[in-house]
Amino acid sequence: MTFLRNIKRFHRNNVDTLRHSALAEISGAFGDLGTLLPLMITLAVNGSISLSTTLVFSGFYNLATGVVFGIPLPVQPMKAIAAAAIASHTSQRETVAAGSVVAVVVLILSATGLLHWVTRVIPVPVVKGIQFGAGLSLVISAGASLLQPLPWVLGNPFDNRVWALAAFVALVATQKLPRFPYALLVFLAGLVLAVVALAVGRAGNDDHHDRLPAFGFWRPYFLLPAWTRDAVGMGAAQLPLTTLNSVIAASALASDLLPGVRPAPTVTQLGLSVAAMNLLGCWFGAMPVCHGAGGLAAQYRFGARSGASIVLLGLLKIAVGLCFGEPALLALLRAFPRALLGVMVVAAGLELARVGQSLNHGASDLWEASVEGGSGGGAPKRHRDVSDEERARRWTVMLMTTAGILAFKNDAVGFIAGLLCHWAYVIADALERKRQRRRGRLGERAPLLS
């Protein structure tokens, strides 16, 4: 019954938010395209996923999560699996099998409560470090893979650094306007540029058969996943990223960005959601997907405040996937300007990295029950005082986590580095207390001996 009551509450909030700020919700829906489009397009070009099937299924996932959770929770590619599949040109059967491996493990962790236990024992500075590192990684990735290869003017007049500069200037100019539909306008501008580029034959693609999209109904097919050694290896590499960033960090970020939406999705709920999405789509060639703190930050940055934004995005994905032919649709997405995608990814990365500013003021572990408020479950809380030494320690742990992520491009390495740093401080404190107790005992014995 609680589940149904929450859905009704979220539905009312979705409808009210859409009525009062429709443009902001629509804009926020496109905030995560900078992460989605490059990986989805490349995987489809390599034959590792079905593009139309991915659009239909991910659209359904958007629709379901918007209704069930009531927040702009993204549906993103599993980045480690996508990177490995792109590098090795894996088949569809192996790619979706890798996603199902992650789904099965996350399902077990969620159903047994282990995922919730892991969340309780992970220090908040480590979680903040994962978010901070993921945000900076997005910025670096956008610069290296999307923006740096672009020419200034020569080459492709529809995708160059001039367009990137214009998009960046517009981004800076609208910093004080959080509800300005920036992402929507950038998406529409990119769509126009892509259509014109295809029409005049200047899309910048090697495929000379690129053409404008034409109607062609979706043809679903059944696909038996191939659980090979490579598929299992890709799934194992994805597990730390999914559990840490897509579940734990996303749950924490939802509480930070949208404190008015209660209850925020728990790690168990997000884990079950990730498992359900991939166990359903892996039989039809859909791209392995998860949620993510970066996508949530991106959609929030561009105006989304409720689940209505991704419900609209889901409906659009389903309509496009059902009604357009895959080859021509792929050509349109490939022609979408990387200059605009890159700037959107930079903005998303900065929004995610910004959550690190609440490390020493406003973090969840810094609030405690107020004595004046009593001991009831609804007792008010107060922010506890943090000493300069504790601030420095928390900052160091967060930076150590971030450094591991950036240096090795691996969330698991950053996670381990942050934990080791945290426990080094804990052990040092324990040893110091032990030395002080020993000195105290020796001080008590001295008068007796005299």
Side-chain angles (χ1 to χ4, degrees), residues 132-142 405-406 411:
F132 191 53
L136 295 182
S137 296
L138 284 176
V139 174
I140 295 172
S141 175
I405 293 173
L406 296 181
D411 281 30

Side-chain angles (χ1 to χ4, degrees), residues 188-442:
L188 293 177
L191 202 60
V192 171
L193 289 173
V195 170
V196 173
L198 287 175
V200 301
R202 296 295 299 273
N205 299 325
D206 296 330
D207 187 358
H208 297 288
H209 299 287
D210 286 351
R211 58 187 183 276
L212 293 174
F215 284 103
F217 291 106
W218 175 49
R219 297 179 180 178
Y221 56 87
F222 181 81
L223 188 70
L224 184 65
W227 287 282
T228 62
R229 180 180 300 178
D230 290 340
V232 174
M234 289 192 297
Q238 176 67 40
L239 267 174
L241 187 61
T242 295
T243 54
L244 297 174
N245 184 55
S246 302
V247 177
I248 296 174
S251 177
L253 186 64
S255 299
D256 290 341
L257 294 182
L258 300 160
V261 180
R262 286 290 182 267
T266 66
V267 291
T268 300
Q269 292 171 336
L270 293 184
L272 292 175
S273 176
V274 170
M277 289 189 300
N278 291 283
L279 289 178
L280 174 63
C282 70
W283 304 103
F284 301 94
M287 177 179 63
V289 294
C290 58
H291 305 302
L296 176 56
Q299 291 171 166
Y300 180 90
R301 166 63 184 81
F302 293 118
R305 296 295 184 272
S306 74
S309 60
I310 57 170
V311 168
L312 296 175
L313 178 63
L315 293 174
L316 177 62
K317 284 182 179 179
I318 293 173
V320 172
L322 287 176
C323 299
F324 289 95
E326 182 156 337
L329 180 60
L330 182 58
L332 178 63
L333 294 180
R334 289 178 64 191
F336 197 93
R338 291 177 297 169
L340 304 185
L341 286 178
V343 175
M344 292 175 69
V345 174
V346 168
L350 293 176
E351 183 68 27
L352 179 56
R354 197 173 67 172
V355 302
Q357 69 183 356
S358 65
L359 173 68
N360 289 320
H361 185 80
S364 59
D365 62 334
L366 298 181
W367 293 91
E368 56 188 14
S370 173
V371 176
E372 294 81 3
S375 58
K381 294 185 177 182
R382 65 180 181 87
H383 196 281
R384 68 178 177 86
D385 295 329
V386 184
S387 65
D388 291 340
E389 181 181 2
E390 185 179 0
R391 289 175 185 272
R393 289 186 176 189
R394 290 167 65 88
W395 182 253
T396 302
V397 172
M398 186 184 79
L399 288 185
M400 186 66 72
T401 305
T402 300
I405 293 173
L406 296 181
F408 294 91
K409 298 181 180 179
N410 190 313
D411 281 30
V413 174
F415 172 69
I416 294 172
L419 280 183
L420 290 176
C421 183
H422 169 79
W423 284 107
Y425 281 128
V426 172
I427 293 173
D429 288 342
L431 293 176
E432 180 62 25
R433 287 193 297 269
K434 185 176 181 180
R435 283 194 296 267
Q436 291 177 355
R437 287 195 299 267
R438 184 179 300 172
R439 290 172 183 172
R441 288 194 296 268
L442 292 176

